[in-house]
């Protein structure tokens, strides 16, 4: 799936047949199996994302493929192995590709294909945010908005596996009870609406669990300000998205009297910073795959779509209140 200019995805993305390039000595020929449509992919096509691929570009930053053939100098991969992108910008919305070995990471092929296809962005983001900003112990709690997003679902499950409680904020919607039930089944301790954040009844939650030391913000605007009010003194809020397209507003008192910390996180930057530190990348991937094998981390709710129906998938992924990730099956 190729785009030659920036614009609305359904208008500029086209399905094209291209020649598969010749296999170089350090290249790997991959048959893609499945690739999701993420918000960052949409923003890249629109031209609004801080990371851009040179045009014409193949869409998609995430997915899983199977190695068909390797160049004579490739040592870490062999035919039959499953691989995911080592970094953003690979262009995963394709049936076949030839990539340099260092652009791919091997993953175990005994995990479900949809888990592998959605492994490199959302679960990694959730894992790093839970690990890198506050040293959380079993019994501690975390609060997050957009809790039904791919990252939100991963946060719930990874936290649950570590004995950390989650307070999960979602927007009110027609099918709210169904969504609450789904998040509770993943291991959420509390699911509340944005409106509930502002109500005195919030105090009742903190009778059974401590106030959170960590808040994860993917929305911005009013949601953030309300979430901050419930953080413990010296707590940290990490912003990793801005779905409301509104700035993060913080009362001065939150800094002076409660000494709250505000941080940001971008998985792409983390990967750049750790490009020479393959040990920490491998340890994270290993921990996530262990959780998947134990049934403690599942793929987000997904809708599988054949590649030729890509326009419908792009449009569906941009609708409001999306609770299912569109996955192109290749």
């Amino acid at each position: 799936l190729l785009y030659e200019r920036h614009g609305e995805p359904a208008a500029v993305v086209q399905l094209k047949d291209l020649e598969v390039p010749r296999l170089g000595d350090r290249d790997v020929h991959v048959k893609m199996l499945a690739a999701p449509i993420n918000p960052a992919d949409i923003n890249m096509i629109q031209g609004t994302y801080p990371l851009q691929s040179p045009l014409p570009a193949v869409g998609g930053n995430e997915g899983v493929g199977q190695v068909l053939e390797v160049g004579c100098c490739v040592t870490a991969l062999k035919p039959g192995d499953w691989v995911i992108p080592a970094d953003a910008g690979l262009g995963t919305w394709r049936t076949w590709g030839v990539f340099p070995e260092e652009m791919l990471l091997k993953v175990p092929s005994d995990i479900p294909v949809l888990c592998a296809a959605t492994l490199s962005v959302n679960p990694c983001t959730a894992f790093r945010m839970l690990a890198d900003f506050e040293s959380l112990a079993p019994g501690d709690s975390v609060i997050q908005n957009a809790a039904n997003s791919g990252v939100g679902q991963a946060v719930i499950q990874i936290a649950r596996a570590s004995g950390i409680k989650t307070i999960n904020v979602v927007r009110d919607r027609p099918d709210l009870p169904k969504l609450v039930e789904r998040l509770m089944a993943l291991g959420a301790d509390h699911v509340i609406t944005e409106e509930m954040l502002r109500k005195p009844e919030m105090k009742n939650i903190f009778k059974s669990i401590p106030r959170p030391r960590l808040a994860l913000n993917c929305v911005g605007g009013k949601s953030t300000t309300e979430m901050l009010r419930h953080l413990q003194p010296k707590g940290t809020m990490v912003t990793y998205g801005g779905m409301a397209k509104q700035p993060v507003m913080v009362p001065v008192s939150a800094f002076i009297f409660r000494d709250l910390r505000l941080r940001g996180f971008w998985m792409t930057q983390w990967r750049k910073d750790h490009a020479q530190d393959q040990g920490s990348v491998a340890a994270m991937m290993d921990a996530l795959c262990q959780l998947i094998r134990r049934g403690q981390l599942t793929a987000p709710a997904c809708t599988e779509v054949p590649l030729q129906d890509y326009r419908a998938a792009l449009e569906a992924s941009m609708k409001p209140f999306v609770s299912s990730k569109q996955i192109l099956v290749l």
Side-chain angles (χ1 to χ4, degrees):
L1 291 177
L2 203 69
Y3 58 100
E4 294 173 341
R5 61 189 170 88
H6 295 301
E8 277 316 294
V12 299
V13 172
Q14 296 172 311
L15 188 55
K16 289 211 164 162
D17 284 332
L18 303 175
E19 287 279 308
V20 175
R22 201 178 60 79
L23 191 72
D25 291 352
R26 299 192 176 281
D27 289 342
V28 179
H29 185 190
V30 176
K31 178 193 185 314
M32 291 304 296
L33 302 173
I37 299 176
N38 289 318
D41 305 329
I42 299 289
N43 296 150
M44 278 176 81
I45 297 164
Q46 291 166 332
T48 58
Y49 202 63
L51 182 80
Q52 290 298 337
S53 301
L55 298 175
V58 176
N61 290 291
E62 189 179 34
V64 63
Q66 186 168 36
V67 175
L68 294 178
E69 196 184 347
V70 299
C72 58
C73 300
V74 173
T75 53
L77 296 169
K78 61 184 189 307
D81 284 348
W82 277 16
V83 287
I84 62 173
D87 211 341
L90 191 71
T92 54
W93 300 349
R94 60 170 101 213
T95 47
W96 322 88
V98 170
F99 307 107
E101 176 184 20
E102 68 273 11
M103 291 175 73
L104 302 168
L105 278 180
K106 182 178 169 180
V107 291
S109 54
D110 64 347
I111 60 174
V113 72
L114 292 183
C115 287
T118 54
L119 183 60
S120 63
V121 177
N122 296 163
C124 290
T125 300
F127 184 91
R128 295 266 55 107
M129 291 195 302
L130 287 169
D132 295 352
F133 294 94
E134 287 281 346
S135 42
L136 299 169
D140 284 342
S141 79
V142 173
I143 188 168
Q144 63 165 344
N145 55 22
N148 59 311
S149 66
V151 171
Q153 293 175 57
V155 164
I156 290 170
Q157 296 175 84
I158 296 168
R160 178 64 180 264
S162 315
I164 293 158
K165 310 287 185 196
T166 56
I167 303 161
N168 301 281
V169 187
V170 296
R171 285 181 297 173
D172 201 359
R173 63 192 65 215
D175 61 346
L176 184 66
K178 206 153 81 188
L179 176 62
V180 171
E181 195 181 318
R182 198 157 60 86
L183 296 183
M184 296 297 273
L186 288 179
D189 294 281
H190 298 275
V191 182
I192 57 173
T193 62
E194 297 278 0
E195 292 69 32
M196 170 82 175
L197 264 182
R198 300 180 191 110
K199 295 200 169 140
E201 295 89 286
M202 273 299 286
K203 286 197 187 76
N204 297 335
I205 288 180
F206 302 122
K207 285 175 183 165
S208 59
I209 64 173
R211 283 185 177 271
R213 304 222 327 257
L214 180 67
L216 305 177
N217 168 46
C218 173
V219 178
K222 211 183 285 178
S223 172
T224 311
T225 316
E226 294 298 338
M227 219 167 43
L228 267 181
R229 287 177 35 200
H230 302 295
L231 265 186
Q232 274 188 37
K234 292 190 170 6
T236 305
M237 186 176 76
V238 182
T239 292
Y240 68 99
M243 284 159 50
K245 298 188 167 58
Q246 290 165 351
V248 169
M249 308 285 273
V250 183
V252 171
S253 60
F255 286 127
I256 299 173
F257 303 119
R258 294 172 53 225
D259 191 16
L260 297 182
R261 279 179 290 239
L262 266 62
R263 301 286 305 274
F265 183 76
W266 187 29
M267 193 63 219
T268 302
Q269 188 62 47
W270 187 91
R271 287 191 194 285
K272 277 198 184 73
D273 295 345
H274 292 79
Q276 302 312 313
D277 177 13
Q278 281 313 302
S280 60
V281 177
M284 170 174 68
M285 287 305 183
D286 191 44
L288 290 170
C289 289
Q290 294 285 8
L291 289 174
I292 291 168
R293 282 198 197 92
R294 292 202 292 262
Q296 292 176 305
L297 178 63
T298 57
C302 291
T303 305
E304 297 179 58
V305 184
L307 185 63
Q308 56 271 26
D309 296 341
Y310 71 92
R311 272 209 177 87
L314 285 168
E315 280 163 4
S317 70
M318 294 172 71
K319 289 200 172 97
F321 301 120
V322 178
S323 281
S324 184
K325 197 181 275 287
Q326 303 289 310
I327 306 260
L328 297 167
V329 179
L330 309 160

